[in-house]
Amino acid sequence: MKLTDAPNIRDQDLLAELERQRTSPVLEVIVRQLEQKQARRDELAALPRDQRRRVVTAGALELSEPSKQDLRHIHSVLAICGLPYDRLPIEQREFERKQGNMALDVTAGFLRDPNGEKIHQPVPFGPKARLILMHLCSEAIRQKSPTIEIADTLTGFVRDMGFPKSGGKKGPLTAFKEQLNALAACTMKLTVWNGERVRTRSITPIDEMDLWLPTHPDQRSLWPSTVTFSPAMYESLQKHALPINTHVVRAFAGSARKLDLYFWLGYRIHNIEEPVTISWEALKDQFGSGFKRDRDFRANLARELNEIKETLRKLPVSVTENGLKLTPAEPSALALPVAKSVKPTLIPKAS
């Protein structure tokens, strides 16, 4: 058999393997195997980006057990109370999200540039704000310090999440840094109530940030080099960090709602000891931003949950007439190492 008899093999690494095996007595078998591998790659390449990420991630999770190297973290408060999904008008300086007897209020702030001029920041929003928060929480835990060296880690993180690391006015790296600026400028307030008493805790994720202004005209946004969590935030994070799998996060890095759903499911499943059903009303409070009709929201949530279950195939969650039914499960169902971790909690209940 001649190597030219394998025209369906095109990728350079497969062609190189074919060349190495050209004198093999079972060359025909090797060719068929390489053609099958090429066909699988072609099928994946033809899929939309997000579906391709889900398929690749699901395959990788089935081939290997989750390890500590796959772990990232986010504060449990940020897992249960999400930020806006879309950009709010700059003049809208406040955002609230309620769920049951709990609410998260976010107030946008401002930063000053190196000349002392005020630059009003938007309310942090979208998937990049969530990914930045995860990155900061994870790095604070990994570096065992409230001060995180952003300049040395952010570019690699953006690349690992599947985004090109290009800067410029509209580049992903600039967009991530703009969300980091918005997070540094904002203040958050978490409130719980019970009809008789109310308890409020202010959360200032970032206490200090070292900023510089690039001279390149395409990069005229404040770029951080270091970020420091407030002492209260850092102490709270060490007690209430929610473990998540970096590969799963990458699979949903383009969707704020799916990231919220994944974080929330991780928190809820981590904290139940028997099956529980979350009502559609509570689910809409949590995830229903942008939907006017309940029917549309339910159909969308069911679709997004199915996409998450394409990746986490053991996820013990099902859609029912009354809402979502969650069942206790081992950490492996969430693509986490089996070692038992402390259950992350929120803030003390109003009592």
Side-chain angles (χ1 to χ4, degrees):
M1 181 179 183
K2 298 179 181 179
L3 296 185
T4 54
D5 292 335
N8 295 326
I9 301 175
R10 297 177 305 281
D11 288 358
Q12 291 301 313
D13 62 326
L14 300 183
L15 289 171
E17 178 64 20
L18 185 59
E19 178 65 29
R20 285 192 294 270
Q21 300 288 347
R22 65 185 306 166
T23 60
S24 172
V26 291
L27 182 58
E28 291 187 16
V29 175
I30 293 171
V31 168
R32 286 197 297 272
Q33 292 173 342
L34 293 176
E35 285 180 332
Q36 290 172 356
K37 185 175 289 188
Q38 181 73 68
R40 288 195 296 270
R41 290 183 179 183
D42 292 345
E43 289 175 2
L44 277 177
L47 296 176
R49 184 198 67 179
D50 291 348
Q51 185 179 0
R52 182 170 63 251
R53 287 181 176 180
R54 295 196 300 271
V55 171
V56 170
T57 302
L61 292 178
E62 286 194 344
L63 290 174
S64 62
E65 294 293 325
S67 68
K68 290 184 178 180
Q69 286 69 34
D70 301 326
L71 282 180
R72 298 296 182 272
H73 295 87
I74 193 165
H75 197 292
S76 55
V77 165
L78 305 172
I80 202 72
C81 291
L83 297 167
Y85 294 136
D86 302 306
R87 180 185 292 273
L88 303 179
I90 192 66
E91 60 270 15
Q92 183 173 340
R93 309 305 291 164
E94 295 184 351
F95 168 82
E96 69 173 33
R97 175 158 288 165
K98 293 182 179 179
Q99 186 193 26
N101 68 330
M102 181 170 60
L104 175 71
D105 294 277
V106 183
T107 302
F110 67 88
L111 300 174
R112 291 189 182 272
D113 70 14
N115 297 317
E117 298 295 324
K118 266 187 183 181
I119 302 178
H120 287 280
Q121 304 296 317
V123 175
F125 69 93
K128 293 180 177 63
R130 289 156 171 82
L131 294 172
I132 282 290
L133 283 168
M134 182 199 75
H135 178 61
L136 293 178
C137 291
S138 301
E139 285 299 304
I141 291 173
R142 185 184 70 83
Q143 297 180 25
K144 298 181 180 179
S145 170
T147 298
I148 302 111
E149 297 286 343
I150 289 294
D152 295 335
T153 63
L154 185 58
T155 300
F157 167 71
V158 170
R159 181 191 62 243
D160 290 345
M161 287 296 103
F163 296 91
K165 58 180 181 179
S166 57
K169 188 175 182 180
K170 297 183 178 180
L173 189 57
T174 300
F176 271 97
K177 291 179 178 180
E178 287 175 344
Q179 287 304 308
L180 179 52
N181 291 342
L183 287 165
C186 80
T187 56
M188 300 180 182
K189 187 174 291 185
L190 184 70
T191 306
V192 294
W193 58 87
N194 64 7
E196 296 181 355
R197 298 187 63 179
V198 61
R199 182 182 294 270
T200 297
R201 173 170 290 179
S202 294
I203 306 168
T204 305
I206 297 174
D207 190 49
E208 182 179 339
M209 188 161 71
D210 185 16
L211 296 163
W212 60 283
L213 189 66
T215 57
H216 196 285
D218 290 336
Q219 298 178 340
R220 299 295 289 177
S221 64
L222 293 170
W223 284 26
S225 55
T226 62
V227 169
T228 301
F229 280 138
S230 65
M233 175 66 178
Y234 180 62
E235 180 182 358
S236 179
L237 175 64
Q238 294 179 86
K239 296 178 181 178
H240 309 304
L242 177 73
I244 48 183
N245 185 293
T246 185
H247 304 295
V248 178
V249 171
R250 187 183 189 279
F252 303 111
S255 170
R257 201 185 312 267
K258 275 180 268 194
L259 287 173
D260 275 2
L261 186 56
Y262 168 55
F263 296 156
W264 177 82
L265 285 169
Y267 175 81
R268 294 305 300 256
I269 291 173
H270 205 88
N271 283 276
I272 59 175
E273 296 180 354
E274 59 185 27
V276 62
T277 297
I278 311 300
S279 71
W280 284 113
E281 182 180 2
L283 291 167
K284 191 172 183 182
D285 286 343
Q286 181 79 5
F287 305 108
S289 177
F291 290 95
K292 293 182 178 179
R293 298 193 302 179
D294 289 350
R295 181 177 61 185
D296 294 339
F297 165 68
R298 293 187 185 192
N300 184 80
L301 188 69
R303 177 182 59 80
E304 293 190 332
L305 179 61
N306 283 336
E307 292 178 357
I308 291 176
K309 292 178 73 172
E310 286 178 15
T311 301
L312 295 171
R313 295 173 179 173
K314 299 178 182 178
L315 193 66
V317 183
S318 58
V319 178
T320 72
E321 191 66 28
N322 298 319
L324 290 188
K325 182 179 179 180
L326 314 181
T327 303
E330 291 296 317
S332 59
L334 293 160
L336 300 174
V338 176
K340 188 71 173 178
S341 58
V342 177
K343 292 183 179 181
T345 55
L346 296 172
I347 64 175
K349 297 179 180 178
S351 58

